[in-house]
Amino acid sequence: MNTDNINNFVDVTFTKVESTKLKPLTSIKGWVEQVKALVNLVPIFGGALAQEIQIMQNFKESEFFRKYTAYILGVADLPIQERKIFAEEIAQKARDSAGYLITGMVNRLDNINKEVILANLTRSRIDDKISIENFFRLASVLERIPYVDLVKLPSYQTPYYDEDGDTELLNSTGVLRPVKLSEDGDTYILSPLGVKLLQYGLMTNVKKVNVKGTSVDLSWNNISEDSDVDIKKALE
């Protein structure tokens, strides 16, 4: 399927199809029929693209439409004007076509559950609960965190460390901040960005997170005079 066709399909269905017509899209199950029905709501595409969707064999294309169905379901009840304003805003901010931007964000996510989170972030931006800048940041963070680690975010509402390895990964994406660095063990807590992801993406009631600074409890061995000599020799 032509890439431009896909981008145009996303742009039109997101900005021009009334929410009342999207309401029949109630489940990710049977997504091919759902997408065909959605295509038929757009006169400029009509049956030709619906037939193309029916016979497509390309895995990447079929997987994209499956993802997009999950995403559009999450915003289907929003008024068309609100979706249109959002599309115009992201296009202006990123200096790119809204269709390309939404297609890219949806397609880069590696788990169908992340599409629901992206839809939640979209709704939160439309409701002005997060800034447009934080929407883009959170969409990028969502792309980089495995879903199995995303579901562990609630644990970091209080100082916490997980030996499984998710702490380091979550910290590297900016959703955590260190509370204490110690030889006895480090602890981390949600960063302001992490709070937003948990609250507006995962739709979790967040406890008050208030940590000032980072406690460092590490010992340092003094460098002996002999060590100074060794360093000088190494530099000569």
Side-chain angles (χ1 to χ4, degrees):
M1 184 179 293
N2 186 287
T3 301
D4 287 336
N5 274 350
I6 294 176
N7 294 326
N8 290 335
F9 165 77
V10 170
D11 183 56
V12 171
T13 53
F14 190 86
T15 63
K16 293 184 173 61
V17 178
E18 294 286 351
S19 57
T20 54
K21 294 182 179 179
L22 291 175
K23 284 184 178 179
L25 300 176
T26 56
S27 172
I28 189 62
K29 294 180 181 178
W31 66 268
V32 172
E33 294 302 320
Q34 302 263 29
V35 173
K36 284 174 61 182
L38 186 57
V39 168
N40 284 320
L41 294 175
V42 186
I44 62 173
F45 292 120
L49 185 55
Q51 184 177 6
E52 192 174 352
I53 291 171
Q54 177 66 34
I55 64 175
M56 66 184 173
Q57 301 296 320
N58 186 297
F59 171 77
K60 288 184 178 180
E61 289 177 358
S62 63
E63 181 61 10
F64 167 75
F65 281 108
R66 175 175 174 265
K67 292 176 181 179
Y68 183 67
T69 302
Y71 172 72
I72 199 69
L73 282 171
V75 297
D77 61 329
L78 293 173
I80 188 172
Q81 187 60 26
E82 292 185 0
R83 284 184 274 126
K84 186 175 181 179
I85 291 172
F86 170 80
E88 291 172 350
E89 184 179 33
I90 63 171
Q92 181 180 14
K93 197 69 179 179
R95 298 181 182 179
D96 201 351
S97 160
Y100 279 86
L101 291 168
I102 295 173
T103 298
M105 286 187 284
V106 166
N107 203 33
R108 286 192 296 270
L109 298 181
D110 61 356
N111 185 291
I112 200 70
N113 296 291
K114 288 187 178 184
E115 305 297 346
V116 177
I117 297 173
L118 182 62
N120 290 338
L121 294 173
T122 300
R123 298 179 69 95
S124 295
R125 173 55 206 149
I126 289 174
D127 293 338
D128 205 26
K129 294 178 179 177
I130 57 175
S131 67
I132 185 61
E133 291 82 7
N134 276 330
F135 169 78
F136 279 111
R137 292 178 188 122
L138 291 168
S140 176
V141 165
L142 181 62
E143 178 186 341
R144 289 180 285 153
I145 301 177
Y147 184 74
V148 293
D149 291 339
L150 273 173
V151 297
K152 294 185 179 182
L153 268 183
S155 300
Y156 293 92
Q157 294 180 75
T158 54
Y160 179 68
Y161 183 86
D162 193 343
E163 297 289 347
D164 282 348
D166 58 274
T167 302
E168 283 78 11
L169 187 143
L170 292 170
N171 181 55
S172 71
T173 64
V175 297
L176 299 183
R177 58 175 296 182
V179 177
K180 183 178 181 180
L181 303 178
S182 169
E183 291 180 341
D184 297 328
D186 305 337
T187 55
Y188 292 78
I189 202 167
L190 291 172
S191 68
L193 194 65
V195 170
K196 289 181 176 64
L197 179 59
L198 185 58
Q199 185 169 2
Y200 301 117
L202 279 70
M203 305 305 288
T204 301
N205 290 326
V206 181
K207 303 174 184 177
K208 185 176 181 181
V209 178
N210 186 18
V211 176
K212 296 180 180 180
T214 302
S215 172
V216 179
D217 185 17
L218 300 173
S219 62
W220 302 90
N221 294 323
N222 293 325
I223 300 177
S224 67
E225 292 181 0
D226 291 339
S227 298
D228 289 340
V229 172
D230 293 336
I231 291 172
K232 290 179 181 178
K233 288 181 178 179
L235 294 174
E236 289 178 351

